[in-house]
Amino acid sequence: FTSFFLIIIYENFQGLDQISYFNFVINNTKDIIHFGNLDKLIDFNSPTVNFLLPLKIVNFIFNDSWFMQKLFQNLLYFGTIIFLLKTLSILDERLKDNILTLYLLSFVPSLFLFSSLITKDLIILFILSGCFYTLFKVKKFDTKTVTFILITSIGIFYIYLLRYWISVAILISVFLYVFLKFLKLINIKNRYSLCIISILFFIFCLFYSSFFNDISFKIYTEIFERIKVEHFFPEQSYDKLFLNSGTRLEVLFLYPEALFKTLFNPFLDKIEKPSLFLFSIENLIIFFLLILGIQNFKKINDETLVIFIFILMVSHMYLPIGYLNSGTTLRYAIQTKIFLLLILIYLNSNLL
């Protein structure tokens, strides 16, 4: 009902990319300067071209149907919820049939809203939730496992075509999980400490490697281009947190605020705005659960540690731009916040 009817009100007042996506598909648009050659099925230089691929498939089967495009998004939404619930049942068997858990995950306002729109975020979230479920579900190597690995690899490759930095984060998470299981297999004590030290050492080596020097200009250019895009909005619509920071020390002092805003924006400071009210309440509840969950931090296991590190990686990838605009931050944060909520439900399972 929300996806097909209530969202029309939101669509009427917002200039949304989904209208452009649908028009590109039904009109078989060949070329748009901003998006590239849309006639291609896959283009390593254009995430939009790659995102249009499943929409083109849906349109090929159900000719020019807006209803079926929205139904496709609904299927991705339900698939995401199913994967999340199954992952949660792996973390704690007692939560398997908990109806409150179903409501908590299904009616997260930001997920509920953006699953009603045609965006890259939902299909990425669907694949990510499937990847984590598959990773934690596999216990032995057999034909079924090979099938899971193949499907997951295709999913990660598709994420790479849409947002390569997310694919890097999920790949590191997969290797980290395998590494933890290997350390457990050979009876290494203090596995988590060794894991954290290994990650910090890897980050140190990466920043001083020739590889990072080669790609850093591209990364900084993309960050600058995104900031420039945000500046098309009225000045009061975006935050200038890092823009006037002249030294690394100034950036370091602003880091905690930037990280908080990347995860929990909008917050109480935006609660008076009707369009952001529900999302401010959402972030307030998740932050409250985070505070409560700290006392149960000893419940952290291999699975939750891997998800938590994934959240930290993606949050830091978005940190240079994540605080700029509440609407943009809200959409980007879904890729981490829904998994953060998953961990918090597990840590606070005694409250359910």
Side-chain angles (χ1 to χ4, degrees):
F1 178 79
T2 300
S3 179
F4 291 112
F5 298 104
L6 293 183
I7 203 65
I8 293 175
I9 300 172
Y10 182 81
E11 291 170 343
N12 188 51
F13 292 99
Q14 299 289 330
L16 299 175
D17 288 342
Q18 68 163 0
I19 307 299
S20 300
Y21 297 149
F22 184 67
N23 287 332
F24 295 158
V25 170
I26 65 173
N27 294 316
N28 197 24
T29 306
K30 303 295 184 184
D31 187 73
I32 296 292
I33 294 176
H34 182 66
F35 296 117
N37 185 357
L38 301 181
D39 199 33
K40 294 181 178 180
L41 290 180
I42 293 178
D43 186 347
F44 287 94
N45 296 316
S46 176
T48 297
V49 171
N50 304 320
F51 173 62
L52 292 178
L53 178 58
L55 304 186
K56 288 178 180 178
I57 294 173
V58 172
N59 191 66
F60 177 78
I61 302 172
F62 306 98
N63 190 35
D64 298 349
S65 174
W66 178 253
F67 175 83
M68 294 309 299
Q69 293 290 354
K70 282 304 190 79
L71 187 59
F72 174 61
Q73 302 302 309
N74 289 173
L75 291 175
L76 292 176
Y77 164 77
F78 286 119
T80 301
I81 297 301
I82 290 170
F83 279 135
L84 291 173
L85 289 173
K86 284 183 173 292
T87 302
L88 197 56
S89 67
I90 293 174
L91 298 179
D92 190 338
E93 185 69 25
R94 295 172 299 174
L95 296 172
K96 184 176 182 179
D97 299 315
N98 191 303
I99 192 67
L100 183 57
T101 299
L102 172 63
Y103 287 135
L104 278 173
L105 290 172
S106 300
F107 295 106
V108 174
S110 55
L111 176 61
F112 205 64
L113 170 67
F114 289 111
S115 63
S116 301
L117 304 171
I118 301 175
T119 66
K120 300 182 184 76
D121 305 275
L122 183 59
I123 195 167
I124 289 174
L125 192 57
F126 170 74
I127 297 173
L128 286 175
S129 57
C131 286
F132 279 123
Y133 169 68
T134 303
L135 180 64
F136 302 153
K137 180 71 174 177
V138 170
K139 299 299 181 183
K140 59 181 180 178
F141 194 82
D142 52 18
T143 305
K144 191 175 181 180
T145 301
V146 173
T147 304
F148 281 152
I149 292 174
L150 180 61
I151 295 173
T152 302
S153 299
I154 294 172
I156 293 175
F157 176 70
Y158 187 65
I159 291 178
Y160 171 80
L161 294 175
L162 299 181
R163 289 179 181 152
Y164 66 86
W165 53 92
I166 303 295
S167 67
V168 171
I170 190 64
L171 277 175
I172 292 175
S173 301
V174 170
F175 288 129
L176 176 62
Y177 187 69
V178 173
F179 180 59
L180 284 170
K181 291 303 180 184
F182 173 74
L183 293 179
K184 184 177 182 180
L185 185 65
I186 60 177
N187 295 318
I188 297 295
K189 296 181 179 179
N190 300 319
R191 290 184 301 135
Y192 295 161
S193 299
L194 179 60
C195 178
I196 292 172
I197 292 172
S198 299
I199 292 172
L200 292 175
F201 180 73
F202 172 77
I203 293 173
F204 177 82
C205 292
L206 178 65
F207 272 101
Y208 287 95
S209 67
S210 58
F211 172 75
F212 182 76
N213 288 333
D214 292 338
I215 67 169
S216 59
F217 179 76
K218 179 183 178 181
I219 294 173
Y220 295 143
T221 301
E222 289 187 6
I223 292 172
F224 176 77
E225 289 298 323
R226 186 65 211 184
I227 291 174
K228 189 169 66 175
V229 168
E230 294 293 343
H231 280 205
F232 287 134
F233 292 90
E235 184 175 345
Q236 64 273 16
S237 297
Y238 61 85
D239 200 320
K240 300 187 290 294
L241 188 63
F242 278 155
L243 301 188
N244 295 319
S245 302
T247 66
R248 292 181 180 179
L249 186 60
E250 289 178 350
V251 171
L252 186 63
F253 282 133
L254 293 171
Y255 164 79
E257 183 182 354
L259 181 59
F260 182 86
K261 287 188 174 182
T262 300
L263 285 170
F264 301 108
N265 188 11
F267 205 61
L268 291 177
D269 57 326
K270 304 288 178 63
I271 201 169
E272 75 282 355
K273 294 185 178 182
S275 61
L276 299 176
F277 175 77
L278 278 178
F279 309 116
S280 299
I281 296 299
E282 168 193 323
N283 286 327
L284 181 62
I285 292 173
I286 294 177
F287 183 71
F288 179 69
L289 289 174
L290 178 61
I291 298 300
L292 288 179
I294 292 176
Q295 62 182 339
N296 298 318
F297 209 71
K298 290 184 179 180
K299 290 178 64 178
I300 289 289
N301 54 20
D302 292 356
E303 288 76 16
T304 49
L305 177 63
V306 167
I307 295 176
F308 185 69
I309 290 176
F310 169 80
I311 293 169
L312 285 178
M313 283 191 291
V314 176
S315 299
H316 283 78
M317 289 172 181
Y318 280 119
L319 189 140
I321 62 170
Y323 61 88
L324 285 169
N325 179 278
S326 295
T328 303
T329 302
L330 186 64
R331 187 162 58 85
Y332 288 158
I334 296 176
Q335 296 161 98
T336 57
K337 201 157 46 178
I338 197 69
F339 295 110
L340 176 60
L341 181 59
L342 191 76
I343 294 177
L344 296 178
I345 290 174
Y346 165 73
L347 292 179
N348 296 293
S349 58
N350 59 304
L351 300 176
L352 302 176

